[in-house]
Amino acid sequence: MGFGRNLNRRQFLAQAGLLTAGALLPTRFALAQMQKIRIGLMLPYTGTYAQLGVAITNGFKLAVAERGGKLAGREIEYFTVDDESEPAKAPENTNKLVQRDRVDVLVGTVHSGVQMGMVKIAKEAGTLMIIPNAGLDAATGALCAPNIFRTSFSNWQPSYPMGKVLADRGVKNVVTLAWKYGAGEEATAGFSEGFIKAGGKSVRGLWVPFPNVEFQALLTEIASIKPDAVFVFFAGGGAAKFIKDYAAAGLRKQIPLFGSGFLTDGVLDAVDDAAQGIETTLHYGDGLDTKRDRDFRSAYSKAYKSDPDVYAVQGYDAALLLAVGVNAAKGDITKKKEMIAAMENAKIDSPRGTWTMSKAHNPIQDIYLRKVVGRENKVIGVAHKALADPARGCKM
Ligand code: PHB
């Protein structure tokens, strides 16, 4: 058990000024209390999802700063790894944090393929993990585990409600287009499930490899198929490029474009007017007009000189959830059972609206319908109230 890197117990106490003549020796618990909580942030800081990783980091650190930089009286030490949204490097990167840095908590990541690698290692090592974005359905489905929590969404979750929204409008035939990897596959599957269930007729899927942004041939194909609507999954830099290309191809007036809200979140400044009017579904949006959200947004803008987006909220909520666990254990994070029980029963007072944890450790949350107006993803309705992921295959 660590008393600091190369110090034994006596040396550590001496250094901490605690081994003076006659002084009472602190208990093991008191020693543990003095050590910092080691948090491993494994997120993309380069590549198409770089800005997502930054927003999550900012959100997390803001919530900790609002608590005086401490959780239950314990200071925080951050260890950071850029996972590059590269699934092949996931095991090595996760082990840098788990084995080399011996973190107490893993916070990450954005990309579902990288998440798969992280989940496997966290399950084996038993390290507490909070997922602040990646929607990988299995993380709170077939691979669910007591030490794995998510503060964002399952890939199914924000896309499923858009199926009914379009079917209710009389849309019959849809083309879906997405990056061909876990998130794109699961998001379009969720959409199709909701669409067909609500009376939609046909869905045809087109794909592009991740993180490719050469959309021209696919846009030509969509123009020749002439569906009633297009539903896409793209995010970050790739989403901005797609929105611009779709508009430049002259398709906006011919075939309405929809998506899960990742398409338009955090990218509106980069696309000028090309996104105006695009409707999406997501668990956050602009103009919620609650005190909670207004307070969060002004604190975030003040701290980072930029507006928060859904990713910032998810990172913020990851720290809120961790705070619930650490507080329940009174700072003694070796009390994993107490921490987990408290986190399972947490009611998170999020900027997105209050949410609770499903049995599989995924948020039960409202999914908003939003429309791009100016530089905002304006909330124009609730597409599905208190939606829980079906957690297929989770036995917990
Ligand atoms: C994912 O890979 O799960 C993912 C990535 C970016 C998003 C949403 C989901 O915006």
Side-chain angles (χ1 to χ4, degrees):
M1 255 276 309
F3 294 116
R5 279 193 191 286
N6 299 308
L7 307 178
N8 63 29
R9 182 179 165 86
R10 174 163 284 274
Q11 286 166 328
F12 175 80
L13 294 174
Q15 188 185 317
L18 293 168
L19 204 63
T20 52
L24 284 177
L25 284 185
T27 61
R28 206 167 256 284
F29 173 66
L31 273 177
Q33 287 290 92
M34 284 159 37
Q35 290 178 7
K36 293 179 180 175
I37 299 178
R38 303 164 76 86
I39 294 181
L41 297 173
M42 177 157 152
L43 290 161
Y45 295 109
T46 52
T48 198
Y49 289 158
Q51 70 198 42
L52 286 61
V54 171
I56 289 166
T57 306
N58 289 347
F60 191 96
K61 290 186 173 175
L62 176 64
V64 171
E66 285 176 348
R67 282 153 187 76
K70 293 180 180 176
L71 298 182
R74 292 188 58 185
E75 283 178 27
I76 304 295
E77 185 166 10
Y78 293 106
F79 298 83
T80 303
V81 166
D82 175 11
D83 68 35
E84 302 168 46
S85 295
E86 177 51 82
K89 295 185 186 165
E92 187 194 333
N93 282 331
T94 312
N95 275 325
K96 277 185 196 159
L97 294 169
V98 171
Q99 289 181 6
R100 183 192 66 193
D101 300 331
R102 294 173 291 109
V103 298
D104 299 306
V105 187
L106 268 174
V107 177
T109 189
V110 166
H111 183 287
S112 279
V114 178
Q115 196 70 56
M116 181 65 97
M118 290 184 78
V119 166
K120 285 182 182 158
I121 290 173
K123 276 183 81 153
E124 254 175 54
T127 310
L128 184 63
M129 181 165 84
I130 301 178
I131 305 170
N133 184 73
L136 176 70
D137 286 344
T140 55
L143 298 175
C144 72
N147 60 315
I148 295 173
F149 288 83
R150 179 151 54 196
T151 59
S152 48
F153 57 90
S154 71
N155 284 322
W156 176 92
Q157 208 172 16
S159 297
Y160 175 80
M162 186 53 102
K164 181 163 162 45
V165 169
L166 293 196
D168 285 354
R169 290 182 189 179
V171 170
K172 293 292 177 207
N173 307 304
V174 171
V175 164
T176 64
L177 172 60
W179 274 318
K180 180 100 180 121
Y181 81 99
E185 289 165 348
E186 292 175 348
T188 54
F191 166 79
S192 299
E193 188 187 323
F195 181 61
I196 298 298
K197 201 167 141 189
K201 247 174 70 190
S202 83
V203 181
R204 180 160 165 195
L206 301 178
W207 304 100
V208 53
F210 177 85
N212 198 323
V213 290
E214 297 309 314
F215 299 121
Q216 223 45 59
L218 292 152
L219 295 174
T220 305
E221 197 174 344
I222 288 170
S224 75
I225 296 171
K226 295 192 181 61
D228 299 331
V230 171
F231 175 90
V232 301
F233 168 80
F234 293 111
K241 170 83 162 52
F242 181 78
I243 289 170
K244 284 195 274 189
D245 286 5
Y246 198 86
L251 286 173
R252 279 299 306 284
K253 288 206 183 79
Q254 292 168 32
I255 309 166
L257 173 63
F258 300 89
S260 48
F262 310 113
L263 177 66
T264 53
D265 241 69
V267 307
L268 295 180
D269 285 338
V271 298
D272 289 327
D273 288 339
Q276 293 307 305
I278 295 179
E279 288 176 63
T280 60
T281 39
L282 201 66
H283 45 288
Y284 188 57
D286 294 312
L288 283 175
D289 206 24
T290 60
K291 180 174 178 336
R292 182 72 185 94
D293 191 44
R294 275 195 302 272
D295 289 349
F296 164 74
R297 290 170 84 104
S298 74
Y300 188 97
S301 310
K302 213 168 141 197
Y304 303 112
K305 314 282 171 257
S306 65
D307 292 330
D309 54 19
V310 69
Y311 308 106
V313 171
Q314 294 167 172
Y316 187 79
D317 287 5
L320 296 191
L321 177 66
L322 180 61
V324 167
V326 177
N327 284 336
K330 299 198 173 58
D332 181 0
I333 53 168
T334 59
K335 292 191 172 146
K336 262 207 189 135
K337 275 213 174 112
E338 277 99 323
M339 284 186 72
I340 287 173
M343 289 163 73
E344 285 176 333
N345 291 312
K347 204 168 171 193
I348 300 296
D349 182 19
S350 167
R352 75 184 92 164
T354 304
W355 59 266
T356 56
M357 204 51 101
S358 73
K359 277 210 179 83
H361 297 180
N362 188 66
I364 300 173
Q365 56 192 336
D366 295 346
I367 304 296
Y368 303 105
L369 178 63
R370 310 114 44 91
K371 183 176 188 162
V372 177
V373 181
R375 291 288 150 96
E376 290 199 327
N377 282 290
K378 207 167 172 38
V379 171
I380 57 170
V382 176
H384 201 126
K385 189 96 194 123
L387 182 61
D389 178 80
R392 291 168 185 137
C394 172
K395 294 185 193 73
M396 192 162 63

